[in-house]
């Protein structure tokens, strides 16, 4: 009998964290609406959504300020137990997110979880402001995620792998 490998992929915003940090950043520093409603109503696509949101951020917002702000948000009370369960049972755990490395990585580092692989978007901090960079984008993907979670999953498993996805994201 063939034993299948198990890989678990989890969303980050609103799954590992109690709140969606991507949303919270723009509620605190930028302008969340009307763009979120336009995205939900399919009036704009996900990449256009992120680009519009980023245009509302102050040009002088620093990566350090953003990181420090992000570290104030709570993670799910059971996440660390879940990570231990995966480690004890040799189950691979990866994060696939439409969020941004600039707040995901500092939170994982704070928790001592810097070894968990992460596939997500990044931010470019330049003189003319902050821009989203969609490192996992795929033009053939038409899902509501600028960092294609589907491809991040299927490109990181073998044919006989049992895939588990946890999250409330697209």
């Amino acid at each position: 009998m063939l034993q299948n490998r198990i890989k678990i992929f989890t969303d980050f915003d609103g799954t590992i964290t109690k709140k969606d940090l991507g949303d919270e950043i723009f509620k605190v520093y930028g302008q969340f609406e009307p763009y979120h409603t336009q995205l939900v109503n399919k009036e704009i696509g996900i990449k256009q959504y992120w680009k519009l949101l980023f245009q509302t951020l102050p040009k002088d917002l620093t990566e350090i300020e953003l990181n420090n702000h992000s570290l104030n948000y709570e993670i799910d009370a059971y996440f660390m137990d879940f990570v231990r369960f995966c480690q004890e049972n040799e189950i691979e755990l990866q994060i696939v997110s439409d969020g941004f490395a600039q707040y995901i990585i500092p939170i994982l580092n704070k928790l001592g979880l810097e070894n968990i692989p992460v596939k997500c978007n990044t931010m470019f901090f330049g003189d003319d402001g902050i821009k989203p960079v969609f490192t996992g984008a795929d033009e053939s993907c038409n899902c509501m995620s600028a960092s294609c979670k589907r491809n991040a999953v299927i490109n990181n498993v073998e044919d006989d792998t049992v895939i588990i996805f946890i999250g409330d994201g697209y």
Side-chain angles (χ1 to χ4, degrees):
M1 181 168 117
L2 243 183
Q3 181 159 350
N4 293 339
R5 249 172 79 181
I6 297 173
K7 279 194 177 182
I8 298 177
F9 297 86
T10 182
D11 186 32
F12 186 82
D13 290 291
T15 302
I16 292 174
T17 57
K18 288 191 174 189
K19 289 187 173 187
D20 186 315
L21 269 66
D23 293 351
E24 294 301 313
I25 287 167
F26 295 98
K27 289 177 184 176
V28 171
Y29 293 105
Q31 184 178 338
F32 186 63
E33 291 295 349
Y35 308 114
H36 184 257
T37 298
Q38 291 172 346
L39 176 70
V40 171
N41 291 339
K42 298 183 179 175
E43 296 167 19
I44 59 175
I46 188 67
K47 289 180 190 172
Q48 183 182 9
Y49 167 74
W50 282 125
K51 288 175 184 175
L52 289 167
L53 284 179
F54 272 82
Q55 289 174 5
T56 71
L57 292 176
K59 291 189 185 333
D60 62 347
L61 179 62
T62 67
E63 190 168 358
I64 292 170
E65 185 178 359
L66 186 66
N67 290 350
N68 289 339
H69 173 80
S70 300
L71 293 173
N72 294 321
Y73 288 93
E74 286 183 77
I75 63 161
D76 182 275
Y78 298 102
F79 181 65
M80 293 303 290
D81 291 337
F82 178 67
V83 170
R84 275 190 285 286
F85 170 83
C86 290
Q87 291 169 340
E88 289 168 2
N89 291 284
E90 298 180 10
I91 299 171
E92 282 189 59
L93 176 64
Q94 292 188 30
I95 295 170
V96 290
S97 175
D98 198 35
F100 294 86
Q102 282 71 16
Y103 62 81
I104 295 172
I105 301 302
I107 290 172
L108 293 176
N109 290 346
K110 178 183 172 185
L111 298 170
L113 302 175
E114 52 277 336
N115 293 329
I116 295 178
V118 178
K119 303 284 188 214
C120 64
N121 300 309
T122 62
M123 298 178 190
F124 174 75
F125 288 76
D127 292 336
D128 59 343
I130 309 167
K131 307 272 190 272
V133 180
F134 310 118
T135 55
D138 183 332
E139 295 306 319
S140 69
C141 181
N142 60 4
C143 65
M144 288 273 293
S145 184
S147 176
C148 184
K149 294 177 188 179
R150 176 198 61 150
N151 287 353
V153 171
I154 62 174
N155 291 334
N156 287 287
V157 296
E158 292 75 36
D159 289 342
D160 62 343
T161 303
V162 174
I163 299 167
I164 299 171
F165 178 78
I166 301 169
D168 66 345
Y170 291 101

